Amino acid sequence: MTTTVENASGTTKNNPPSNADKVSRRQVDKFSERRDQLAEAALQTLAELGYARTSLREIAQNSEFSHGVLHYYFSDKVDLITHCVRHYKARCVTRYDGIVTTAQTPAQLRSGFGTLLAETMIDEPTMHRLWYDLRAQSLFEESFRADVAAIDTSLENMIWRIVIRYAELLGTEPAIASSAMYGIFDGLFQQSLLRHLSGDENASTYLSESVQAILLLAVPTPNP
């Protein structure tokens, strides 16, 4: 942290961070990096087993890290699971930035978004299942609620960036508010995920086509 010191002449100057401050920050950064590494290692076990059937010991048995190491970096299972899902969803919310910045027409953005959303459902179904598991648990576990709310907000913002850009390309305004828009897409994604996990081979096509149809309704093409 930079400190401000008044000298004999009455003027002030900013002192650079001390070595102790630098060491402290490095230690915090290393601790955070280690938590992220452990989260990556734990994600697959969590995604396969779900919240109720997973313990720190179970995760340790399915990774290269000991139970003691996990307990050092995470206070309990709730701490680990919320960090894991936050870590994963932080990547998810940037997944669609490319199509937002590169799409030149409404049709390109509509098609690209629908395709990417279907692809992530097919490629990482257990990860998304873990998120819905955690969100359902937050109805009963108060300790989950703040993290779930924060993740929900980041996902809503992600969807809204796409909708706003789509409206800009059309030269109009969305007909549906941000929270309602997120609720529609989230419900559709969860429904499609369940269909996919149940063996429906058309689930991804259904998701992609439905997403595009919703955009057409939510952001109507202006009359010429």
Side-chain angles (χ1 to χ4, degrees):
M1 169 174 82
T2 302
T3 56
T4 301
V5 178
E6 185 173 319
N7 58 26
S9 64
T11 60
T12 59
K13 63 178 181 177
N14 292 328
N15 286 341
S18 67
N19 288 335
D21 289 332
K22 292 178 182 177
V23 170
S24 178
R25 281 204 301 274
R26 281 200 300 270
Q27 288 174 336
V28 170
D29 290 343
K30 286 179 66 176
F31 188 84
S32 179
E33 289 171 8
R34 188 61 163 166
R35 277 168 61 90
D36 288 346
Q37 291 172 358
L38 292 169
E40 286 286 351
L43 266 171
Q44 194 59 48
T45 299
L46 284 167
E48 290 293 337
L49 297 179
Y51 167 78
R53 294 188 294 164
T54 306
S55 64
L56 290 184
R57 193 171 299 281
E58 185 80 32
I59 293 168
Q61 290 173 352
N62 287 277
S63 73
E64 60 184 291
F65 303 104
S66 70
H67 179 254
V69 168
L70 289 175
H71 231 305
Y72 176 77
Y73 285 95
F74 299 98
S75 58
D76 54 24
K77 184 174 77 168
V78 170
D79 186 21
L80 173 59
I81 290 177
T82 52
H83 187 84
C84 284
V85 175
R86 269 182 173 274
H87 182 68
Y88 172 68
K89 287 298 184 182
R91 296 201 308 266
C92 287
V93 296
T94 63
R95 182 171 290 160
Y96 306 95
D97 289 350
I99 189 65
V100 170
T101 56
T102 60
Q104 299 299 309
T105 67
Q108 287 178 353
L109 181 54
R110 194 171 61 243
S111 174
F113 178 48
T115 299
L116 284 174
L117 206 59
E119 285 178 355
T120 187
M121 181 190 72
I122 294 296
D123 293 343
E124 300 176 320
T126 55
M127 297 298 181
H128 297 294
R129 182 177 64 184
L130 177 61
W131 158 240
Y132 287 116
D133 186 14
L134 178 64
R135 191 160 71 176
Q137 289 295 328
S138 72
L139 296 172
F140 304 94
E141 293 273 358
E142 186 176 355
S143 55
F144 281 147
R145 289 175 192 165
D147 289 290
V148 165
I151 294 169
D152 256 332
T153 298
S154 68
L155 294 173
E156 179 183 332
N157 291 340
M158 174 198 78
I159 293 294
W160 195 237
R161 286 196 297 272
I162 293 164
V163 173
I164 287 295
R165 178 56 181 157
Y166 182 69
E168 288 174 351
L169 290 170
L170 280 172
T172 187
E173 296 288 335
I176 300 178
S178 174
S179 57
M181 199 77 239
Y182 173 55
I184 292 169
F185 279 121
D186 179 67
L188 177 61
F189 188 89
Q190 186 175 14
Q191 178 192 59
S192 301
L193 177 63
L194 180 58
R195 289 176 60 164
H196 172 63
L197 292 171
S198 299
D200 185 346
E201 296 179 356
N202 297 315
S204 61
T205 301
Y206 167 77
L207 176 58
S208 179
E209 291 178 351
S210 297
V211 163
Q212 296 181 61
I214 289 169
L215 276 174
L216 287 168
L217 294 172
V219 191
T221 303
N223 293 324

